[in-house]
Amino acid sequence: MKSLPYFCRGEVVRGFGRGSKELGIPTANFPASVVEELPEDIGTGIYYGWASLDNGPIHKMVMSIGWNPYYKNTIKSMETHVIHNFKEDFYGQTLNVVMVGYIRPERGFDSLDALITAIHNDIEEAKQRLDLPEHLKLKEDSFFKDPTTTPQDKMAATTMTPISAESKHIMNGH
Ligand code: ADP
Ligand code: RBF
Ligand code: MG
């Protein structure tokens, strides 16, 4: 997936209110505008990465993108479960996220228990993978320190790197 790592930011809005929280897996939902900006190569499925709220500390996260086949949603959603125990809800705060990798496609399940077990496995997988040095370094990214670093800046930086590498190559060839 050429768009990974993918940086995005948005207000935490109310989701479907299905009581994910009661299941022990609350998910902070992004507004439709953030979902609509996703590049085409970031398909539906389960992703992992880093997340922070406003200027707060950076935590591991797992994210589900899609139509939640188990519930047969009609609206595409982007829901982030931050791997941290928060004392309070944070609706209205800004959620900053970098998606660094993909875990699996979204699936339907025969029971709610099976869905919850799958999500717990995703969380364990994310925790392990994020300890790899290549992923740990994204936690230190300026995106999380400086609210003026926009996701667009990050996109420009990633698309410009190959161009400047290419021009260096051309220069070196002369
Ligand atoms: P909704 O349907 O409104 O998204 P959820 O049951 O999924 O409701 O709960 C999500 C809300 O729970 C988030 O918007 C946030 O305010 C709060 N929350 C508390 N802890 C977490 C967490 N670790 N990860 C995500 N959201 C959390
Ligand atoms: N919903 C599905 O229908 N199928 C899935 O495979 C699925 N995987 C998920 C994985 C993670 C890590 C998270 C956070 C959510 C996932 N969901 C999935 C969304 C889930 O149905 C939604 O958060 C519910 O509100 C949980 O009760
Ligand atoms: Mg939610």
Side-chain angles (χ1 to χ4, degrees), residues 12 15-17 20-21 26-29 80 82 84 86 89-91:
V12 177
F16 306 102
S20 318
K21 213 180 288 170
T27 61
N29 291 57
T80 304
V82 185
H84 180 77
F86 292 90
D89 284 355
F90 42 79
Y91 291 110

Side-chain angles (χ1 to χ4, degrees), residues 16 18-21 23 25-27 45-47 62-64 67-73 79-81 103-109 112 115-116 118-120 122-123:
F16 306 102
R18 276 202 200 98
S20 318
K21 213 180 288 170
L23 305 175
I25 316 163
T27 61
I46 315 308
Y47 293 80
V62 279
M63 186 194 285
S64 163
W67 288 272
N68 299 8
Y70 180 79
Y71 292 100
K72 302 190 172 68
N73 286 349
E79 316 175 41
T80 304
H81 173 68
I103 301 180
R104 63 172 176 89
E106 278 202 305
R107 295 176 36 199
F109 291 93
L112 193 54
L115 169 64
I116 295 168
I119 298 177
H120 284 147
D122 297 332
I123 292 171

Side-chain angles (χ1 to χ4, degrees), residues 7 9 52 54-56 58 94 96 139-154:
F7 293 83
R9 175 177 285 146
S52 74
D54 293 340
N55 296 321
I58 300 148
T94 300
N96 309 293
K139 191 185 175 185
E140 308 306 325
D141 197 279
S142 60
F143 174 75
F144 290 111
K145 297 189 183 105
D146 179 3
T148 63
T149 308
T150 65
Q152 287 73 24
D153 290 340
K154 301 305 304 182

